[in-house]
Every structure is written in C-alpha cells, then in structure tokens.
Amino acid sequence: MLRIHDARTGESAAAAPARRGLTRIGAHASGLDPTALRVLLTADLLARALELGGTPVWTILSAPNRQAELRTAATTLSIRPFEDGRDVASGLGEAQAIHVVAQPGAYPPGAGPVVAVAPVEWQQPEQPDSEVGRGTGAGAGPGSGDATRPPWPGPTGPSSGPHSHRPHRPHHPPLPLADLLTDPAALRLALLRVPRSEPVRLDGAVLADAAGRLAHWRRAVAGWARRPSRPVPDAVRTRLRAAWEDDLDLPAVLDVLRDVENAPDLPDGARFETYAYADRLLALDLARDLGTLA
C-alpha cells in the first residue's frame, strides 16, 4: 500500500485508504516556474503509482496564473493532463483527496493529506561585470543577448544600480524555460533523482549528466530487447514497489534500475522487462530506441 508523508499532520498516511476507491489528486501551482512543474510532476507520479496498484485516480489542477502555459510545459514533460479545478465540483464520490503543494506555502483548505514539494533552483552562471545589462536596449529579446534576465519568474526585492530600470516582460516566459524543456526527459530524470522534500538545484552540467544517463539506458534497453524475454524477477518487482510505495521514493527506484543493469547473472530479457515495468511510473520513454540498433 502506498503511504505518503502528510505535511499537514507530520505523520504517514495511506494514499488510498479505501481499496480501489476513487482518489482525487489536486495539484496546487502558483504559476509558471520550475517549482510549479515539480508540483505537477509529483502529482503525476502519485497518480501513476496509485493506478499501478489498481486505484482509480481523478487529477485536477489549481493554478491562478498562466495556467495554459503551465499545462503546455507539463505536457512537454510527459505529465498527464489535469482537469481544471475551477470547472469541477467537489465530492464526486472520491474516497480521499490528496493535495500536492509547493513548500513553503499555505496548505489548501479541506480534508486530505498534503504532499509538500521542495523548490527547484536554476543555477545561473555568473556573468562578468561587463555583461551586466547587455541586451536591455531597444530590440532586446530572445537571441539578442539578454544574458542577465532571471531564468525563471519569481519574486524579487527592490533593485538598485544603473540597470534597475530594465523593463519587465510579464506576458512571455523567459528564454531559459524553452531551453530547459529542450530535452524534457532529461529534465524529468534530473527531478526524479532528488527526494521531493529536498530542493533541486539545476544547471547545465546536471541536465547534461541526466541526458547522458538517459541515452545510456535507452541504448541498453534497445540492446536487451534483442534477447529472449524473461519475466521481472520477483525480488526486483518487490524492491521497486517497496520503493515507490514508501512515500514515492523515486531515487530508490532509480537505484534498483542501476542494480538491475549491473547484476552479473540476470538475463538481458529480464533487464528489459524490468525497465519497461518501471517506466510505467517513471515515464522516461526508456524503450524509445527499440529497433534502432544494427
């Protein structure tokens, strides 16, 4: 049974207390930023884990700002569609409601456990003093050298200095958002590597490392698929389910995959089936390269 840490009470709670009872998962996002995407990703993983256990799930999204853009970014990140929380009635027979929120923040009203998600930080390379303010004149924008724009929108304090007059662009996501979603599967893997209670610090090196690991696994899965199929070993299946049912411990799930890859006596067909099974939760498209090997 999947259990989650309830930030509201500080205790462990069953994610689906009624067997096969409908569970409503509400993702509460403040706007378009990497932390909001991590909130939606956590809700997506929670829904996938419950469905793997046979529990029907109803997912809704509450996002007061830039919801359409957030949905587009979420789709790019292989996050399942959410219904609009403003358009649906509550209490449609669900056995439990679970709220996924960013921390720190106010907990939503109503009953149900709260799953808190730590923030995501983008580590922007330091710019020389001569670069500060470049591209802030007429015609500046994506591709025109606006190197000092913050990579994600967010609260800022009073500014000072010769470039504090830089105009705000409220209607367009900053260019690094598109850059970050250039390889969405790598971004998804980079987020899965860190327990959701811990902040994620992303930079170019982190994303490149995730992309390399993902490419390596896809090549391996394509190679294993050429061998006779074998079932997922019972011990491996048990480890996988124990990991994600323990408060959605995705780093532990990834550890199982590493162990399966390196296990000396495991048939390649069993490795393939293990990765395909785990990918029902991870949604990393690990079987993408099937048929591409000579």
Side-chain angles (χ1 to χ4, degrees):
M1 175 186 295
L2 174 59
R3 299 191 66 83
I4 54 176
H5 177 77
D6 183 357
R8 198 195 303 269
T9 65
E11 299 178 352
S12 177
R19 180 171 177 78
R20 301 189 184 279
L22 177 64
T23 295
R24 172 164 55 91
I25 300 175
H28 302 264
S30 59
L32 182 65
D33 58 50
T35 301
L37 284 176
R38 194 183 191 194
V39 167
L40 268 63
L41 174 60
T42 301
D44 174 68
L45 293 164
L46 181 58
R48 291 172 185 271
L50 286 171
E51 288 176 340
L52 282 170
T55 298
V57 175
W58 174 35
T59 55
I60 63 173
L61 171 63
S62 298
N65 302 310
R66 306 179 73 174
Q67 185 174 133
E69 294 161 287
L70 180 59
R71 288 180 180 276
T72 298
T75 299
T76 303
L77 206 58
S78 298
I79 293 173
R80 62 190 299 136
F82 291 77
E83 294 188 53
D84 192 334
R86 298 170 296 186
D87 298 337
V88 296
S90 62
L92 298 181
E94 68 266 15
Q96 174 163 282
I98 302 174
H99 307 278
V100 185
V101 303
Q103 64 176 17
Y107 296 148
V114 173
V115 176
V117 178
V120 179
E121 304 171 6
W122 175 256
Q123 301 294 310
Q124 188 176 20
E126 294 184 3
Q127 298 291 334
D129 291 342
S130 60
E131 296 293 320
V132 176
R134 176 176 295 181
T136 59
S144 60
D146 191 357
T148 61
R149 272 188 294 157
W152 296 97
T156 57
S159 58
S160 61
H163 305 290
S164 60
H165 63 280
R166 183 168 61 240
H168 178 56
R169 299 176 175 83
H171 302 298
H172 303 281
L175 180 60
L177 174 58
D179 291 345
L180 199 58
L181 291 171
T182 299
D183 190 345
L187 173 59
R188 187 175 175 109
L189 177 57
L191 295 174
L192 295 180
R193 285 174 161 180
V194 182
R196 70 165 188 278
S197 60
E198 300 178 8
V200 177
R201 293 175 175 84
L202 296 176
D203 58 22
V206 170
L207 293 177
D209 182 72
R213 168 54 55 180
L214 191 58
H216 169 76
W217 274 346
R218 284 171 171 170
R219 287 194 300 269
V221 168
W224 299 331
R226 297 166 63 89
R227 309 298 296 174
S229 178
R230 295 290 186 272
V232 179
D234 289 341
V236 172
R237 187 185 298 270
T238 298
R239 282 188 63 196
L240 285 171
R241 295 194 68 92
W244 73 60
E245 290 182 351
D246 182 13
D247 198 30
L248 279 179
D249 190 350
L250 275 304
V253 172
L254 298 176
D255 286 342
V256 175
L257 294 187
R258 294 188 188 94
D259 290 346
V260 165
E261 178 186 5
N262 297 316
D265 300 325
L266 196 63
D268 286 347
R271 300 185 213 271
F272 170 81
E273 295 296 344
T274 298
Y275 274 63
Y277 174 65
D279 206 35
R280 295 171 62 187
L281 173 71
L282 303 175
L284 294 172
D285 201 9
L286 295 177
R288 190 193 69 176
D289 291 346
L290 261 63
T292 61
L293 294 181

